[in-house]
C-alpha cells in the first residue's frame, strides 16, 4: 500500500481522488473524493503527531521519546499546524520574551535562541 499522493509531482498543486476500487469484489466508484487534512502530512510528521498524542501533549515527554530539544518540538508543532492550516497568529513580543527567558534559564543555547527569533 502507498500513501495517498496529495500534491502534484509536476506543479505541486493539490490533487483530487477520482476513483476508488474494492480489491475483494472489484467494484469501482468514480467521483471527486476529499482527503483528510492528515493525509497531507509526511510520514515523519504523522509519527511526530502519534508520539505527541501518546505523550498526551506533554512536550518534555515528547523531547525524551524522540531525543530532540524543546525548540525542535515547538518547530515541528508549528510546521504541522501550518500544514494542517491551523497556524495561530503569534504575539511576537510575548514569544520573544519567552525565548529570552528560556535562554536566561539555560533551557536553550544561544544558537537555538537565534534560530527561534529568526522564525518569528
Amino acid at each position: 500500500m502507498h500513501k495517498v499522493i496529495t500534491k502534484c509531482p509536476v506543479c505541486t498543486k493539490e490533487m483530487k481522488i477520482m476513483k476508488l476500487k474494492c480489491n475483494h469484489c472489484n467494484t469501482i466508484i468514480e467521483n471527486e473524493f476529499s482527503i483528510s487534512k492528515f493525509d497531507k502530512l509526511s510520514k515523519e510528521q504523522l509519527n511526530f503527531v502519534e508520539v505527541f498524542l501518546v505523550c498526551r501533549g506533554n512536550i518534555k515527554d515528547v523531547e525524551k521519546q524522540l531525543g530532540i530539544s524543546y525548540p525542535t518540538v515547538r518547530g515541528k508543532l508549528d510546521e504541522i499546524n501550518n500544514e494542517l492550516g491551523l497556524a495561530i497568529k503569534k504575539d511576537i513580543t510575548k514569544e520573544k520574551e519567552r525565548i529570552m527567558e528560556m535562554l536566561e534559564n539555560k533551557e536553550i543555547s544561544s544558537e537555538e535562541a537565534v534560530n527561534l527569533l529568526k522564525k518569528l
Side-chain angles (χ1 to χ4, degrees):
M1 278 288 176
H2 298 283
K3 187 178 184 303
V4 173
I5 299 171
T6 60
K7 292 186 180 173
C8 175
V10 176
C11 71
T12 70
K13 297 290 183 186
E14 189 170 314
M15 295 186 71
K16 295 178 182 176
I17 298 170
M18 303 297 290
K19 187 187 288 189
L20 297 174
K21 179 185 175 208
C22 174
N23 286 333
H24 178 70
C25 69
N26 291 323
T27 297
I28 295 174
I29 301 172
E30 291 189 39
N31 205 333
E32 194 171 303
F33 302 98
S34 62
I35 58 172
S36 163
K37 288 181 184 184
F38 294 97
D39 287 323
K40 297 176 183 179
L41 299 179
S42 69
K43 274 186 177 182
E44 180 184 328
Q45 290 170 326
L46 283 170
N47 181 60
F48 179 87
V49 169
E50 186 175 325
V51 169
F52 185 80
L53 292 173
V54 167
C55 293
R56 303 179 74 188
N58 185 310
I59 292 180
K60 291 225 181 269
D61 289 346
V62 174
E63 287 178 65
K64 290 176 190 171
Q65 179 96 13
L66 297 176
I68 57 178
S69 67
Y70 176 87
T72 303
V73 172
R74 290 290 307 253
K76 288 184 179 293
L77 284 171
D78 289 344
E79 176 186 299
I80 290 167
N81 279 335
N82 286 334
E83 190 66 39
L84 296 176
L86 303 173
I88 299 169
K89 192 173 183 179
K90 296 178 184 176
D91 180 348
I92 293 176
T93 304
K94 282 187 178 181
E95 192 69 15
K96 284 180 183 178
E97 288 173 4
R98 188 186 62 76
I99 292 168
M100 296 310 292
E101 185 178 310
M102 287 174 25
L103 180 61
E104 287 173 17
N105 295 334
K106 300 186 192 270
E107 295 174 33
I108 59 174
S109 69
S110 57
E111 184 178 308
E112 288 171 319
V114 168
N115 288 333
L116 287 171
L117 290 169
K118 283 181 183 177
K119 291 179 182 178
L120 296 179

